[in-house]
Amino acid sequence: MKKQKKNLYLVASLCLSALLLLEGCANTNGSIVSNDDPYEEVNRSVFGFNASVDNYVGKPVSAAYDYITPDLVQTGIGNFFSNLKDINVVLNDVMQGKLLQAGQDTGRFLLNTSVGLAGIFDVATMVGLEKHNEDFAQTLGVWGVPKGPYLVLPLIGPATTRGIPGMVFDAAANPATYVPFPIRSLELLNMRTQKAGTFKIIKEGALDPYLFTRESFLQSRKYLVTDGEVELTDDIDLDSSIDETDFGK
Amino acid sequence: MLIPLQNKLFLLVITSIFLNITMSTAEAKSATAKQVVVRFQANVLKVMKQGKKLGFEGRYKRLEKAINESHDLTKITRVVIGREWGNLSEEQQQQLITVFTKLSIAAYAYNFKDFSGEAFHFDSEEKTTRGGMIIHTHLTIPKDKSVTFDYMLKEKNGQWGIINIIANGVSDLALKRSEYTKILKEQGFDMLLLKLNEKIKTYEK
């Protein structure tokens, strides 16, 4: 019985990780193959599956959770798990050679863990220690490891081949990985609820949610690896297309 | 020689129109890329502040003017369609520009409907190698992380127009381009137009 219950939590936990996938439906078959996405056909199928799981499990469960949980509690839960991830952020700061940032993030973690009551309150942000976003996939990018093809993983969502060892490392370094499943599920549920706005934007705004998700994921990851630098080469590419279509004539 | 009163009035009107046109042109020419962006952001915030009172239609009307004045929507449409643009008839091109313009304004009117203390801040500006400008700004949101907004502008007939917005590293133009070119190539012009019109209806609801 106990084992059954544990398995149930495992299934629930996996289903709730659908927060990481961005919903939509596989509505076109990929005959235009993007260099970043050679496995588009398979990826689209997985994307469709993930979207269904989110639609039937993630979305209704998260809506119920949102209904019964006050915003303040949701923020506290989000802060608690975000604080645990700061350990990971510090490790990646060091591996990327960002020593000053590593010092700030260590201070952030210590302050939130103590004064912020185990991270429930984000006191560090209030005093100007801003949250940084670093993970092992970014570190690999900084080290020059190519991102590799785009992948959509079942129940996890968008990734690149570089992101897979990144996810394993980040999971190993995150204390939340070692907590019992019900608590882990709470983190996933809370994240899914807080991301509801993003899901809505994609559903309402995208003509092809798969492409919308892929492009925004790849661009966003690139932005994180380069620490927010907008490369002018991207704009030159756009400029080229402008010239090709005889703009200004 | 005395000029009859009617002729005087006529001259006055013509002169006023001429002066008005000259002044408008000079004013438009003098608007730098930065000014175009700052003015547009101010208009968006103004609409957000009155968002609930205005309703969707009210926001649409206000934003229609602000967007048409600051964006080069014809150019944006051509870029998102890519090489397929040349294969479309003039009528189809015009249809796409009209629908795309309507969709862009509707998306703004739908998404920017209320205000909770957001503010835009100018960071810096730089020239691109092909004569364009990039205006770097960020949006501060109370109790949330700031979002960077980088605007790419091109000059046409002495006027700067926004042709791309990059939010936190995600290019709006690149996103749309990947979607539109694929749908156009694989499902055809009519399907693309249908999908764009469906999105407009979603926003209008």
Side-chain angles (χ1 to χ4, degrees), chain A residues 152-168:
Chain A
V152 182
L153 303 175
L155 300 170
I156 292 175
T160 57
T161 46
R162 182 175 68 196
I164 295 173
M167 279 179 205
V168 174

Side-chain angles (χ1 to χ4, degrees), chain A residues 28 40 204 208 219 243 245, chain B residues 78 110 130 171 182 187:
Chain A
T28 55
E40 182 172 339
E204 288 169 352
D208 181 339
Q219 286 187 51
D243 291 343
T245 45
Chain B
R78 295 177 73 163
Y110 179 81
R130 289 172 187 254
S171 156
K182 184 139 183 156
Q187 298 174 56

